[in-house]
């Protein structure tokens, strides 16, 4: 949600090809659609940040993407490459420099012997500059 603009963003959970926009001030009236330039699987959560949605995706690498709400472009930010399933996401700047916070599941809840547990991971966005 972008509470300042009064817009909500809704999408299919799996095989996401577009984001629907709804008016939060007028009982969720439909405002339009943003077509994604790349289809995304299994979006577990997404948060509004700086004209984008930052989305956690439960794919084979547990990836976080940035989805432009201006042109529908999709940019991979990073992959965790560990754990069994990625869950929710929060986007909030913290004093330590972290911005993106995701929940990662390890093991299976239905199998106590699997070592099931959850971990909250924190990530900072680092901008690299070319040398010279």
């Amino acid at each position: 949600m972008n509470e300042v603009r009064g817009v909500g963003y809704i999408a299919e959970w799996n095989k996401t090809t577009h984001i629907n926009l709804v008016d939060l001030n007028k009982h969720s009236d439909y405002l339009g659609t943003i077509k994604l330039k790349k289809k995304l699987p299994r979006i577990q959560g997404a948060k509004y940040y700086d004209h984008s949605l930052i989305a956690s995706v439960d794919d084979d690498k547990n990836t976080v993407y940035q989805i432009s709400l201006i042109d529908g472009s999709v940019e991979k930010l990073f992959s965790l490459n560990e754990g069994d399933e990625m869950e929710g996401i929060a986007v909030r700047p913290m004093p330590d420099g972290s911005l993106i916070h995701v929940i990662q599941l390890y093991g299976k809840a239905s199998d106590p012997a699997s070592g099931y547990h959850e971990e909250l991971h924190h990530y900072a966005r680092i901008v690299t500059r070319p040398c010279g």
Side-chain angles (χ1 to χ4, degrees):
M1 289 190 298
N2 180 341
E3 293 177 7
V4 174
R5 291 187 54 218
V7 176
Y9 305 98
I10 302 171
E12 293 289 332
W13 165 70
N14 196 14
K15 300 177 183 174
T16 306
T17 59
H18 61 278
I19 307 289
N20 293 314
L21 286 69
V22 294
D23 188 328
L24 298 176
N25 299 314
K26 294 185 181 176
H27 308 289
S28 298
D29 287 353
Y30 174 76
L31 296 174
T33 297
I34 299 170
K35 183 170 175 42
L36 302 185
K37 296 188 176 175
K38 175 183 177 177
K39 180 168 47 173
L40 291 175
R42 298 173 54 98
I43 295 178
Q44 296 293 82
K47 297 293 185 258
Y48 177 84
Y49 181 75
D50 193 27
H51 307 291
S52 300
L53 291 177
I54 307 297
S56 61
V57 174
D58 183 32
D59 60 11
D60 60 337
K61 295 185 178 174
N62 294 320
T63 305
V64 173
Y65 291 92
Q66 182 171 357
I67 303 166
S68 170
L69 296 171
I70 296 169
D71 66 3
S73 60
V74 177
E75 175 188 356
K76 176 183 167 183
L77 296 180
F78 59 88
S79 293
L80 292 174
N81 293 315
E82 63 179 74
D84 293 297
E85 185 175 350
M86 182 182 288
E87 284 294 335
I89 188 166
V91 178
R92 180 177 179 182
M94 301 300 287
D96 67 357
S98 63
L99 173 67
I100 298 171
H101 316 276
V102 296
I103 297 172
Q104 184 72 16
L105 304 182
Y106 297 84
K108 301 290 180 200
S110 60
D111 179 10
S114 71
Y116 174 78
H117 69 283
E118 301 173 0
E119 293 181 8
L120 179 60
H121 295 268
H122 310 278
Y123 297 92
R125 192 161 201 181
I126 298 172
V127 177
T128 57
R129 292 181 169 68
C131 296

